[in-house]
């Protein structure tokens, strides 16, 4: 093996991501400061003080559970291959640790460190460690996100590990049997691209394969039922009704228009001293707006008919269920309960006969125009604001017509317009994540462990245990 050579230890089934474990340390104590007892109780309990009342240094669950085995390498001729514990921590980490300012008589080692010191106590001959030099401790304090992780233990940057027979001596101090885990020793090298890590590559390949599959599906769909790209007919303002919500027809009448509003006539000049003409002929049609509010067991619907240029087709024999003749804006409030409709309020908001709409036209700057155009023969836009007059409200008699069922074509169109619901998106994400997990895990088990058959399934042992408990 060509240098630099790195030695890692790998632990399985060791959960450093537990919430209580992650929070169980005191940053000021690690920096070397003297911390009050109340603060230590908050940040390091149950390993803040020992049974004799002394402060545990370093305190907390993370420090107490540090990987503490001693590892060395030599060959058959007892020639030692030196692995250095230096330059394995991040430079920023070294600024977080310092020598303690506690008196030796005030502190005691963590329980799992006690065997290193006579009678489990710090002494002048065996003083507490200077954490600013303990890079293996700094590496351990970086908690891992997964239960299967590895951390660097030492390195050799100058020598090669020649081919031959080498012996590794390990002092077994870290017990993995008590929690059912395993420990591994990993010797590896690195390249200018970094160390060997298959997880990211597996994720990239899985997502890339999924994107290729989706691309093929969308291509097949486009070949079977193509849609013209850039087709302006799909724009909302090019839809029937100008893109407004589709209205359920209430009553249709055939009647000729009574009068045309002056501002809708061809050649209309909104401002006398300006050579400007507006073409509002597109407003000369009936717009139907239908708003529903469901308050079980009833539904309230507000059905509004609007024609800003011409009067609405109201029959001569108008009754309390219709707006007044000559209405430009008519609104009905309908309550539906038990499949029965009752018209409660009829409002004539604007009429041609007595209260014509009096729009106010103001020129705006070209850069503020919605169409980004100039005056003259260029395209123009208009903003119309309507204010309702509640004084025109009046009661209406009850009516219970048979509810009209929507046609099958309308149902199909509504289904086509609806997109994916939130639940569909959620389950799609779950399905894709599970597929990436199983495919990536099977590739990893095959490449690393040369697994076959059911052994390719990632974490198969856990799944068997879970299924046995469920059964």
């Amino acid at each position: 093996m060509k240098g630099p050579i790195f030695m890692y230890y790998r632990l399985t089934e060791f959960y450093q991501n537990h919430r209580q474990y992650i929070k169980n340390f005191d940053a000021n104590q690690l920096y070397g400061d003297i911390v009050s007892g109340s603060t230590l109780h908050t940040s390091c309990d149950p390993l803040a003080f020992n049974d004799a009342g002394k402060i545990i240094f370093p305190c907390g669950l993370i420090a107490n559970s540090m990987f503490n085995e001693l590892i060395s390498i030599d060959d058959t001729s007892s020639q030692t291959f030196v692995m250095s514990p230096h330059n394995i921590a991040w430079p920023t980490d070294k600024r977080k640790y310092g020598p303690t300012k506690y008196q030796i008589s005030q502190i005691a080692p963590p329980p799992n460190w006690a065997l290193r010191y006579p009678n489990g106590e710090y002494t002048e001959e065996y003083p507490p460690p200077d954490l600013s030099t303990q890079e293996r401790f700094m590496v351990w304090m970086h908690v891992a996100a997964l239960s299967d992780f590895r951390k660097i233990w030492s390195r050799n940057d100058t020598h090669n590990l020649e081919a031959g027979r080498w012996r590794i001596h390990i002092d077994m101090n870290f017990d993995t049997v008590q929690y059912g885990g395993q420990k591994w020793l990993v010797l590896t090298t690195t390249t200018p691209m970094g160390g060997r890590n298959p997880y990211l590559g597996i994720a990239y390949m899985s997502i890339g394969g999924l994107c290729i599959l989706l691309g093929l599906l969308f291509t097949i769909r486009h070949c079977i039922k193509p849609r013209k790209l850039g087709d302006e007919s799909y724009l909302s303002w090019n839809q029937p009704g100008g893109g407004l919500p589709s209205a359920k027809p209430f009553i249709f009448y055939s009647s000729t228009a009574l009068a045309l509003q002056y501002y809708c006539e061809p050649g209309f000049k909104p401002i006398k001293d300006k050579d400007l003409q507006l073409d509002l002929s597109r407003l000369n049609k009936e717009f139907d707006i239908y708003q529903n509010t469901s308050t079980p067991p009833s539904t309230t619907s507000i059905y509004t008919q609007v024609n800003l240029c011409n009067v609405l087709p109201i029959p001569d024999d108008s009754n309390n269920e219709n707006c007044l003749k000559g209405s430009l804006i008519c609104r009905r409030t309908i309550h539906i309960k038990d499949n029965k409709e009752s018209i409660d309020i009829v409002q004539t908001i604007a009429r041609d006969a007595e209260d014509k709409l009096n729009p106010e036209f103001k020129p705006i700057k070209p850069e503020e125009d919605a169409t980004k155009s100039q005056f003259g023969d260029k395209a123009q836009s208009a903003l119309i604001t309507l204010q309702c007059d509640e004084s025109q409200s009046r009661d209406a008699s009850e009516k219970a017509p048979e509810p009209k069922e929507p046609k099958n074509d309308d149902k199909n169109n509504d289904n086509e317009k609806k997109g994916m619901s939130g639940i569909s998106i959620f389950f799609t994400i779950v399905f894709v994540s599970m597929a990436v997990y199983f495919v990536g895990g099977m590739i990893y088990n095959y490449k690393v462990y040369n697994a076959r058959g059911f052994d390719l399934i990632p974490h198969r042992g856990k799944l068997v245990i879970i299924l046995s408990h469920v059964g």
Side-chain angles (χ1 to χ4, degrees):
M1 297 177 67
K2 295 183 178 180
I5 298 173
F6 303 90
M7 179 184 290
Y8 292 84
Y9 58 90
R10 175 188 170 195
L11 299 178
T12 64
E13 304 300 325
F14 193 99
Y15 292 88
Q16 277 196 312
N17 57 358
H18 193 280
R19 182 176 61 87
Q20 184 177 359
Y21 184 90
I22 292 175
K23 297 170 58 177
N24 213 247
F25 72 97
D26 189 280
N28 292 326
Q29 191 200 54
L30 297 178
Y31 187 71
D33 295 337
I34 297 177
V35 183
S36 64
S38 59
T39 302
L40 291 177
H41 276 301
T42 302
S43 57
C44 290
D45 270 348
L47 294 180
F49 296 85
N50 64 3
D51 295 337
K54 290 187 176 182
I55 298 172
I56 296 178
F57 175 82
C59 69
L61 296 174
I62 308 178
N64 179 67
S65 60
M66 176 185 171
F67 186 82
N68 57 356
E69 296 190 349
L70 300 178
I71 306 172
S72 61
I73 304 176
D74 60 31
D75 60 8
T76 54
S77 61
S78 299
Q79 179 180 356
T80 302
F81 186 79
V82 179
M83 301 290 291
S84 172
H86 302 295
N87 297 324
I88 60 174
W90 297 352
T92 54
D93 286 342
K94 297 179 182 179
R95 296 195 291 266
K96 300 178 182 178
Y97 301 87
T100 182
K101 298 177 182 177
Y102 285 109
Q103 299 295 324
I104 294 180
S105 59
Q106 296 178 295
I107 56 178
N112 287 355
W113 297 24
L115 295 178
R116 308 182 200 175
Y117 300 92
N119 299 322
E121 298 287 343
Y122 291 131
T123 61
E124 295 292 341
E125 185 178 359
Y126 297 94
D130 182 359
L131 298 182
S132 63
T133 63
Q134 303 295 314
E135 296 191 33
R136 288 172 177 169
F137 179 78
M138 300 177 192
V139 173
W140 178 259
M141 293 298 290
H142 270 289
V143 294
L146 303 176
S147 61
D148 186 344
F149 62 89
R150 68 180 188 179
K151 296 178 182 287
I152 188 169
W153 182 251
S154 56
R155 63 188 295 170
N156 188 314
D157 298 327
T158 57
H159 297 85
N160 299 331
L161 188 62
E162 303 295 341
R165 190 168 185 176
W166 295 87
R167 294 178 300 188
I168 299 178
H169 301 273
I170 302 176
D171 292 342
M172 306 290 285
N173 298 322
F174 193 86
D175 185 13
T176 59
V177 177
Q178 60 180 335
Y179 63 88
Q182 296 179 341
K183 52 186 175 182
W184 301 65
L185 180 65
V186 181
L187 284 174
T188 184
T189 58
T190 187
T191 66
M193 297 298 292
R196 181 178 180 273
N197 188 348
Y199 294 103
L200 191 60
I202 292 173
Y204 284 159
M205 295 295 292
S206 302
I207 298 298
L210 180 63
C211 292
I212 293 175
L213 176 61
L214 293 176
L216 291 175
L217 294 177
F218 286 125
T219 302
I220 295 173
R221 192 267 181 192
H222 180 72
C223 293
I224 296 175
K225 189 178 179 181
R227 169 184 170 181
K228 180 182 177 181
L229 297 179
D231 191 350
E232 296 181 356
S233 64
Y234 286 96
L235 298 175
S236 61
W237 51 82
N238 290 332
Q239 302 298 317
L244 295 174
S246 60
K248 174 184 175 184
F250 178 68
I251 300 176
F252 290 100
Y253 302 104
S254 60
S255 175
T256 58
L258 298 179
L260 186 67
Q261 296 295 316
Y262 65 94
Y263 50 81
C264 293
E265 296 177 355
F268 170 70
K269 294 184 178 182
I271 305 175
K272 296 180 180 180
D273 58 346
K274 295 287 185 179
D275 187 15
L276 171 66
Q277 294 183 4
L278 293 182
D279 182 9
L280 302 182
S281 59
R282 293 188 180 183
L283 297 179
N284 189 12
K285 60 182 176 180
E286 184 178 332
F287 296 91
D288 296 329
I289 304 172
Y290 207 80
Q291 297 173 306
N292 291 332
T293 303
S294 179
T295 55
S298 63
T299 300
T300 301
S301 300
I302 299 177
Y303 174 46
T304 306
Q305 297 170 287
V306 180
N307 190 337
L308 298 179
C309 289
N310 218 333
V311 298
L312 297 172
I314 305 297
D316 295 335
D317 55 344
S318 180
N319 53 35
N320 290 336
E321 294 179 355
N322 297 318
C323 290
L324 300 176
K325 189 175 181 60
S327 297
L328 296 172
I329 303 175
C330 176
R331 182 170 66 182
R332 298 182 181 91
T333 302
I334 308 170
H335 287 282
I336 304 173
K337 183 177 181 181
D338 297 332
N339 293 329
K340 295 182 179 180
E341 294 183 355
S342 61
I343 304 176
D344 292 345
I345 301 175
V346 176
Q347 296 172 294
T348 299
I349 298 176
R351 293 183 63 196
D352 175 65
E354 57 191 35
D355 51 358
K356 285 187 176 183
L357 298 179
N358 294 313
E360 181 181 2
F361 296 90
K362 295 180 179 180
I364 60 175
K365 297 179 180 180
E367 61 270 15
E368 297 176 353
D369 192 352
T371 60
K372 305 296 183 182
S373 63
Q374 302 289 336
F375 291 138
D377 57 349
K378 300 289 186 178
Q380 300 168 20
S381 64
L383 175 63
I384 302 174
T385 303
L386 304 178
Q387 184 175 359
C388 298
D389 182 7
E390 300 294 339
S391 63
Q392 298 294 330
S393 303
R394 56 194 176 94
D395 294 335
S397 59
E398 184 174 350
K399 182 180 180 181
E402 292 295 330
K404 297 182 180 180
E405 292 291 336
K407 298 181 180 179
N408 292 332
D409 294 340
D410 295 337
K411 291 182 180 179
N412 295 333
N413 292 336
D414 291 341
N415 292 332
E416 290 178 359
K417 292 179 182 179
K418 292 181 179 178
M420 294 181 64
S421 64
I423 296 178
S424 301
I425 296 174
F426 171 76
F427 281 107
T428 301
I429 294 175
V430 172
F431 174 77
V432 172
S433 302
M434 292 180 62
V436 172
Y437 166 74
F438 278 104
V439 173
M442 293 172 69
I443 296 175
Y444 179 75
N445 289 339
Y446 175 79
K447 293 292 186 181
V448 177
Y449 303 111
N450 198 25
R452 296 291 189 276
F454 288 106
D455 292 333
L456 288 171
I457 300 176
H459 297 94
R460 184 173 67 90
K462 291 184 179 179
L463 294 177
V464 172
I465 295 175
I466 294 173
L467 293 176
S468 63
H469 284 296
V470 173

